[in-house]
Amino acid sequence: MKQFVFTRTFSGIPTLFGMTLIGFLIIGLTPGDPIEMELRRLGVAFSAEQVEALRVEYGLNKPLIQRYFLWLFDLFRLDLGTSIASGRPVLELFKEHLPITATLSVLAFMSSLALSLGLGGVTAVSQRTSLSTGLYVLTMFLVSVPSFWLALFLLAVFALGLGWFKLLQFGNPQDLILPTITLSLGHSAVMSRLVRERIIAVMSEDYIRLAIAKGLTRRAILGRHVFKSILPPLITNWAISFGSLLGGSVIVENIFNLPGLGQMALQAIAERDFAILQAYLLFMGLVFFLANFVADLMNHWLTPQIKKGDNGLR
C-alpha cells in the first residue's frame, strides 16, 4: 500500500505542474492589459507612466515564463499573489469564498449519490415495469437538461411562483436548497444510468444465478454480491462527479447569487484578474487529483487483483 501511495503521488506531480503551466500561459496570452481594463472599469483617468508603474508593482512587466516561475516560487510559500481588482491577497479571498462552494458541492454530491443509487437500483431490478420505464425516461430527460435552464425553472416555480425561497439572496442555509437540487439532479441522472448498467451486467453473472437458485432473497443478493461488484467502477465515477460539481457550480452560483468560488472566478474572468484565475485553476486541478487519488486508494483496497499485483503475482 505504501508503495502504491508513493507511486500514485509521484506520478501526479508532473500532471499538476503541466496543468499550472498551461493555465498560466493561456491566461497570460489572452489579449488585453488587465491594468488598463481595471482602470477603465473604475473610470479612472490614467497616463502611460501610471499604467507602467502598476504593471511593475504587480509583476506584469516581466516575461511570461519568468512570471510563471516567480509565481511557482511564491506558491511554495503559500502566497497566491494579490488581486488586481480588489488589492487583497488571493489566499484571503479563497478563504472567504470557499466555504459556500464546498458546502454546496458536498450537499449536491451526497444528494446525487443517494438519488443515483436509488434510481439506478429501482430501474435495474424492476425492469419492464411502468415504474422502471417512467424513472428511466425521467433520468434521460434530466441528463439532457442544462443546469442553467433547470436553475431558472426552479427559481420561477419556487421563488417567483410559490414564494417559498428568496430570489437571488443568500443569508441562511435554506438558500442552498435550490442550488443543491439544481446540481444534484443532473449528476444523479448520469450516475444512475451507470448504476443501472452495472447492476444489470452483474445480475447476469453465473454466481448471481447460483445465489438465486440457492434461495437467497433479492435484498441479500444485492447487498452481499451485486453492490460489492459494482462498487469499484462507481467509486471512480463518483470521484470525477465530485470534481465536475465544483466546476459546474460556476454557473449555478451566479444564477442564485451565491458568494462562492464560482462567482469569484467568473468576475475574475471579466476583470482579467490573473492571480485569481491562476489560483482557481490550481484549486480545480488539486480537487480532481485528490478525488481520483482517493478513488484509486479505495479501489486498491477493495479489488483483490490489484493487491496481488502489487505483491508481484501479476
Side-chain angles (χ1 to χ4, degrees):
M1 177 64 79
K2 291 182 180 179
Q3 182 180 359
F4 175 80
V5 173
F6 176 78
T7 304
R8 188 67 180 84
T9 304
F10 187 76
S11 64
I13 293 176
T15 303
L16 288 174
F17 276 112
M19 181 209 64
T20 58
L21 176 60
I22 293 173
F24 200 95
L25 292 176
I26 291 175
I27 296 171
L29 293 174
T30 305
D33 189 292
I35 298 296
E36 292 184 4
M37 290 179 63
E38 180 61 21
L39 291 174
R40 288 195 185 99
R41 187 181 69 87
L42 295 174
V44 177
F46 55 89
S47 62
E49 291 78 12
Q50 291 172 323
V51 172
E52 186 60 28
L54 288 173
R55 286 176 56 83
V56 172
E57 180 181 347
Y58 285 97
L60 298 176
N61 60 321
K62 298 180 176 64
L64 190 59
I65 294 298
Q66 183 180 354
R67 282 158 46 193
Y68 170 72
F69 284 106
L70 289 173
W71 175 84
L72 206 60
F73 177 75
D74 291 335
L75 180 63
F76 287 109
R77 300 184 299 166
L78 298 180
D79 182 5
L80 297 177
T82 304
S83 167
I84 296 175
S86 65
R88 298 172 59 189
V90 175
L91 186 59
E92 182 180 314
L93 292 172
F94 260 74
K95 290 179 179 178
E96 181 180 312
H97 293 276
L98 179 59
I100 299 297
T101 300
T103 303
L104 176 61
S105 299
V106 170
L107 289 174
F109 177 74
M110 298 303 294
S111 301
S112 60
L113 190 65
L115 284 172
S116 64
L117 290 174
L119 290 173
V122 170
T123 54
V125 174
S126 58
Q127 296 185 64
R128 301 181 183 89
T129 64
S130 57
L131 174 62
S132 176
T133 304
L135 290 176
Y136 185 72
V137 171
L138 176 62
T139 57
M140 292 293 293
F141 173 75
L142 291 175
V143 168
S144 307
V145 173
S147 60
F148 71 87
W149 187 91
L150 184 58
L152 294 174
F153 174 78
L154 292 176
L155 279 175
V157 174
F158 295 102
L160 291 176
L162 299 175
W164 291 356
F165 299 95
K166 298 177 182 178
L167 184 63
L168 304 180
Q169 293 184 23
F170 178 77
N172 51 64
Q174 75 174 19
D175 294 328
L176 290 175
I177 294 178
L178 291 183
T180 299
I181 294 174
T182 302
L183 284 175
S184 61
L185 284 180
H187 283 270
S188 62
V190 175
M191 293 161 61
S192 68
R193 294 177 63 186
L194 177 62
V195 172
R196 178 181 182 273
E197 292 169 0
R198 294 301 304 171
I199 290 178
I200 292 174
V202 172
M203 289 292 286
S204 63
E205 296 288 341
D206 292 337
Y207 70 94
I208 298 295
R209 294 174 180 172
L210 179 61
I212 296 174
K214 287 182 177 180
L216 269 69
T217 63
R218 179 174 293 182
R219 179 178 296 181
I221 293 173
L222 289 173
R224 296 181 192 175
H225 303 288
V226 175
F227 186 71
K228 186 177 180 180
S229 299
I230 69 173
L231 196 55
L234 289 182
I235 289 175
T236 303
N237 181 264
W238 291 339
I240 298 173
S241 295
F242 182 74
S244 60
L245 278 171
L246 283 172
S249 66
V250 173
I251 298 175
V252 174
E253 284 181 10
N254 278 273
I255 292 176
F256 289 97
N257 197 31
L258 299 178
L261 290 180
Q263 190 179 80
M264 182 187 72
L266 202 61
Q267 185 176 355
I269 292 173
E271 297 172 345
R272 293 287 311 283
D273 205 330
F274 285 170
I276 290 181
L277 290 176
Q278 185 61 27
Y280 183 77
L281 290 177
L282 173 65
F283 172 75
M284 292 300 300
L286 284 173
V287 168
F288 273 99
F289 171 76
L290 291 176
N292 283 279
F293 180 73
V294 172
D296 288 343
L297 284 180
M298 293 185 68
N299 284 331
H300 179 81
W301 177 65
L302 289 171
T303 310
Q305 294 88 337
I306 298 178
K307 294 180 182 179
K308 291 180 181 179
D310 285 342
N311 291 328
L313 298 178
R314 275 185 289 195

